[in-house]
Amino acid sequence: MAAASAPITMKEAITLPSIGINPQFITFTHVTMESDKFICVRETAPQNSVVIIDMNMPMQPLRRPITADSALMNPNSRILALKAQVQGSTQDHLQIFNIEQKSKMKSHLMPEQVVFWKWITPKTLGLVTQTSVYHWSTDGESEPVKVFERTANLANNQIINYRCDPSEKWLVLIGIAPGSPERPQLVKGNMQLFSVDQQRSQALEAHAAAFAQFKLPGNENPSTLISFATKTLNAGQITSKLHVIELGAQPGKQSFTKKQADLFFPPDFADDFPVAMQISHKYSLIYVITKLGLLFVYDLETAAAVYRNRISPDPIFLTAEASSVGGFYAINRRGQVLLATVNEQTIISFVSGQLNNLELAVNLAKRGNLPGAENLVVQRFQELFAQTKYKEAAELAAESPQGILRTPDTVAKFQSVPVQTGQTPPLLQYFGTLLTRGKLNAFESLELSRLVVNQNKKNLLENWLGDDKLECSEELGDLVKVGYTPDYLFLLQTILRTDPQGAVNFALMMSQMEGGCPVDYNTITDLFLQRNLIREATAFLLDVLKPNLPEHAFLQTKVLEINLVTFPNVADAILANGMFSHYDRPRIAQLCEKAGLYVRALQHYTELPDIKRVIVNTHAIEPQYVIYSSEDPDIHFKYIESAAKTGQIKEVERVTRESNFYDAEKTKNFLMEAKLPDARPLINVCDRFGFVPDLTHYLYTNNMLRYIEGYVQKVNPGNAPLVVGQLLDDECPEDFIKGLILSVRSLLPVEPLVDECEKREVKMYMYIMLWVKLLLIAIIIQNTSSPPIQQVSAAVKAFMTADLPHELIELLEKIVLQNSAFSGNFNLQNLLILTAIKADPSRVMDYINRLDNFDGPAVGEVAVEAQLYEEAFAIFKKFNLNVQAVNVLLDNIQSIERAVEFAFRVEEDAVWSQVAKAQLREGLVSDAIESFIRADDATQFLEVIRAAEDANVYHDLVRYLLMVREKAKEPKVDSELIYAYAKIDRLAEIEEFILMPNVANLQNVGDRLYDEALYEAAKIIFAFISNWAKLAVTLVKLKQFQGAVDAARKANSAKTWKEVCFACVDAEEFRLAQICGLNIIIQVDDLEEVSEYYQNRGCFNELISLMESGLGLERAHMGIFTELGVLYARYRHEKLMEHIKLFSTRLNIPKLIRACDEQQHWKELTYLYIQYDEFDNAATTIMNHSPEAWDHMQFKDVAVKVANVELYYKAVHFYLQEHPDLINDLLNVLALRVDHTRVVDIMRKAGHLLLVKPYMIAVQSNNVSAVNEALNGIYVEEEDYDRLRESIDLHDNFDQIGLAQKIEKHELLEMRRVAAYIYKKAGRWKQSIALSKKDNLYKDAMETASQSGDRELAEELLVYFIEQGKKECFASCLFVCYDLIRADVALELAWINNMVDFAFPYLLQFIREYTGKVDELVKDKIEAAKEVKAKEQEEKDVIAQQNMYAQLLPLALPAPPMPGMGGGPGMPGFVPGPPQMGGLGMPPMPPFGMPPMGSSY
């Protein structure tokens, strides 16, 4: 079936290996799934951990290092339950953790070992011990409570599930156990059902079970059902059943009828069994999942089979309900997490079409609201309606899938039904059914309301509306309000008296009513105002007027009016919000003016007189209002213009500073023309909009020099170069420019100033030297703080640009070096050295040695940039900047030797650190390590470790790492230290180190040591961290095999066992290898690998010994028995047959068959074929390899069971060639199966037909032509005429004429007689008679003539006897052919030939026969006459009774007799009959003989 049309859809949700789960942990004991929310996996390697997989984000698993024997995630929340056995006892430690809160919720020490546990509810854990079952609640501090004891049928069972019903009144425990001795592979299932109320248990046979709730029609409460699946073996017959029964039937209520159905397992799944059951509460379907991946789907209500398919090629060991989609999750051994869901688009068509179960299709569609049954539901509805079953039709319509019948047409159909007196209208029945099912739709609600309103039962409507049974609509509202209109105005007035705020709420509620507010907003407002409730009226109006509709213009005006009169500030806030736009603006403007809100008035007035009248109230109008209320540049300019002309200079200054909307060019020109005494407005404009040259020119030409100074000093010193440039252009006096520059001091940007001067080179070049000198002197005199080095560099640049470096140096030398007052000036010394660096590097070293008060770090960096490395080194060393000094040696001078020497001289850690880094970069690893140690520097340990390993200097690395450990607790450091110890073979130090506190990643270290063949060190590490798996393989590398086995035993890992085992095999330590092997071969997947390893190395006997030892293991499986058989087949043939016979039921026969076939062990191969019911192959093998495989009795048993009929004939050829003496025995057992004709043909062609004579005799009863002819031919050859005649008599299917012709000339008389007999049987009468006459067999001739029925032949034979003078034969022939010979012919021939005496007996017989015939005729006639007479008398009696009244009539003469009528005796006309005749006939003659004589005469 195509997956798209299947009723159940399967998809792969995730695969556990894809998210890092090792396949060895995908087992029932390691994986749990309590619901569709979480999967929990317990890992034990490489370390103990628990992996939590959230199914909402499965690709982000949460892995936590937790050691536990079992882990369960709560079905609903992120709560984890853990179970671990207390070492050395049978107690289990149970703990519950809240993962989100990272806290422990509960813990308990169980005195008994918990063999199985499960979340039976989100708040209850079910705990199963060997004897009892406990419940442990997550609430409070309660301990586990014993619920019941396990029944005897669950003893020695593996518990696989424990469940409770939703009410927690019924509990079920399920276990499995090995099958019965006659079929151990069929696992047995046991179940214990416990009633909490009755405190009683019932033991049943079942493999899987689940609880469900199902509501029966007519019952208020759902019934509790249990479904369980069984597969049992009784008297050799397997019975598989699904049962559904009700638990605790409700008294007085309808009970659920017990259901059961067969589970049909295909032949290939004969030993498969159910492992899980899930019930879809969404669709009421039962899912039965088997171990080998079969899925059975059944309907819960009827137990009808819905679907069966194989959903997984790998065994399934865990399932969980997927409640949200009505399906389930299943996990198989491959790690696939499969999701099974109902295919809603196809399941109904599948059930109705494929299964032809229309009733189930309809019920499923109604139950799950599924598509596909529309036609069926409509057809059923019409049938019920036609049968006037309105109640059933209403229920069907109410439950119709997807509401396909809940339409106006259905309502109209119920409306059209005539209402019978005294009965509930069908329409009300329909609506009543709908109300019990849920909520009515809009149309149904309207129609039902019409009925109720017409009956004046509005209280019902109120109840239904309160219960949310009706869907509200505008039409329903119109219907309900007819005839009733509340007096909302009265209600509002009533509330106003006591609760004004409540009145506001009520008014707002009315405003939100559908259809609009029942009371006019204005009326409501007036009610509030009548009681002087201004605030309440305002609150109401502000809420209802939010939409700002044109029709609310009056109310908008009203709310503003009342507040402008009473609360102007409220009105101002309302206007500020801008929420209204349709009110009467002139009216509000007037009120704003009266209320003193002149700004608002100006906003609303449009007429110039009004504006003029208001604007004069400047005392109440903020000036900025005029500006801020507009973005029009003209308005802003006009304002500036007006303020300037009115002398409001401060306002002009403010606006030019704050406004962003005036025209800058226009404003600048105006202010220049206005020639205000205060230049600040013009400065604002020019500074903000980039008119600095214009500003400078204006101020200079108008002799407003103090404003120039103020601008560059206070407003914007950064524009000083522009100011100076413009002043130079305006030919400003030199003194003023000097003073201006000096006034700016360090704030002066030198480079832009230089640029400005360069632009004017022709005019002012000679000034440059002057103002730079003045600048420097000003800096010194003012004794300012050190200018940034950038400014000094800029100053120097200025000299350089003017190409006057030497002049600058000379100036500075005179100031600094000649014991002037400025000799120790910090800035000048800096400037001198920097200038020398730029202009005359040869002087730098002398300056460095002679000067002491300069900025060493900064100057040193400049020297480095100028590549004066020795000078830089001298500067740094002079200022004790040893790190910078050594860096110069290392990075610039590149002399590690000098750096080391310097480091020894200064002995600073930082210096040594830099030296160490440089040495490390140059590959001087040992020297670098020594330097790092001297520096006590642990920061570069990663680079040191890397370099040391590359250089293989582990002795030095150990010293370094020991130093680092004292400063930092780094796992990398401790790990590398162990590794270094190992590299220099200091194992004692390793042991000592790991015993001390450390943070080494021992696992990684051990792996690294192992990978690099440092096995002794690795052994120490792995032993310390108890990594037995790695310890085992390490010991293998060290050839310490006994220790490796002990470690592998502790690791108990298949991989470890294999590694140790294979190593022992290679080392020929076969005793230890066997110990390991026994722990490997119990795993089916690893068995073949072990076997191949042994065989590839020629260790056949040792491998056989291993497998033989494995047979006795408790966990021995089919693979061990099979593999041993294969090994026997290959290497020890003499044991093979005994092994096969002993363990035939535990062998993988197909695999062993292949092995025997490869090794040509034909006898054993035959036996295996027989055990595997492959009889065709068995027979073929026997025949092809008969010297070894043939056994007659065995072959007979096989031959009758083969399916290929050609093998029968091949067997015949085989026996004919090799065992002809037994061919009849074979053919006898094949007699019912072979084609006898073909067998005879085979034997005839082989020339050995006589060989199978016994077989042909045995099967001749089948009357087969070929067999008959073959036997007849043999009888002829053997002249066995008796057997030939017997064969001819009993079996007529052969060529009779051909046989007769063949033997009619036989030398034996009896054979010729048989030929005559054959002719007689074939109807060749003449030929038979002629042959008999020829051999004087007269009796045969007479009998043949009699049997022919031919009168002519009989009479010719009489003539022949007369001619031959055979008088006695003549007499005998008369009697033998009595029926054929005419009497006249016989008498005539006798009289003519004087044989009357011989014919007289015939004549007597003839007379006797004919006399008897006459007597019979007479007797028949007399009886007929009597019957006629009796009938006439009866008629007369009837007439006499009918005419009794005739006695009253006068006597009359009798009528004369009728002509021809006779009377009785003595009466006229009576004629007596003939006399009675005696018996004159002859008795019948016996056939072919004479009649008895004497008594008849």
Side-chain angles (χ1 to χ4, degrees), residues 559-664:
V559 70
L560 291 172
E561 280 181 344
I562 60 176
N563 281 285
L564 283 170
V565 173
T566 56
F567 303 108
N569 58 329
V570 175
D572 185 48
I574 295 173
L575 291 170
N577 288 334
M579 60 185 299
F580 299 150
S581 59
H582 303 290
Y583 54 88
D584 186 346
R585 297 182 70 84
R587 171 65 177 158
I588 297 304
Q590 293 174 3
L591 292 175
C592 286
E593 185 179 357
K594 291 180 181 180
L597 301 176
Y598 299 113
V599 173
R600 300 298 176 197
L602 285 173
Q603 290 175 340
H604 288 77
Y605 279 130
T606 57
E607 298 298 328
L608 187 57
D610 295 331
I611 296 174
K612 288 180 178 180
R613 183 180 66 253
V614 175
I615 203 168
V616 298
N617 297 286
T618 55
H619 64 282
I621 299 177
E622 293 290 337
Q624 62 268 26
Y625 166 74
V626 179
I627 300 301
Y628 295 151
S629 61
S630 174
E631 296 181 1
D632 189 343
D634 290 338
I635 292 177
H636 285 249
F637 176 74
K638 288 295 184 182
Y639 184 81
I640 295 170
E641 185 180 34
S642 301
K645 290 181 179 180
T646 58
Q648 298 185 32
I649 304 302
K650 289 185 178 179
E651 191 65 18
V652 177
E653 191 278 331
R654 182 187 65 79
V655 174
T656 56
R657 175 168 36 85
E658 296 179 359
S659 174
N660 295 318
F661 301 105
Y662 58 82
D663 187 329

Side-chain angles (χ1 to χ4, degrees), residues 485-499:
T485 303
D487 190 348
Y488 291 104
L489 183 59
F490 173 77
L491 294 174
L492 181 59
Q493 290 174 335
T494 304
I495 298 172
L496 268 173
R497 295 191 188 98
T498 58
D499 186 6

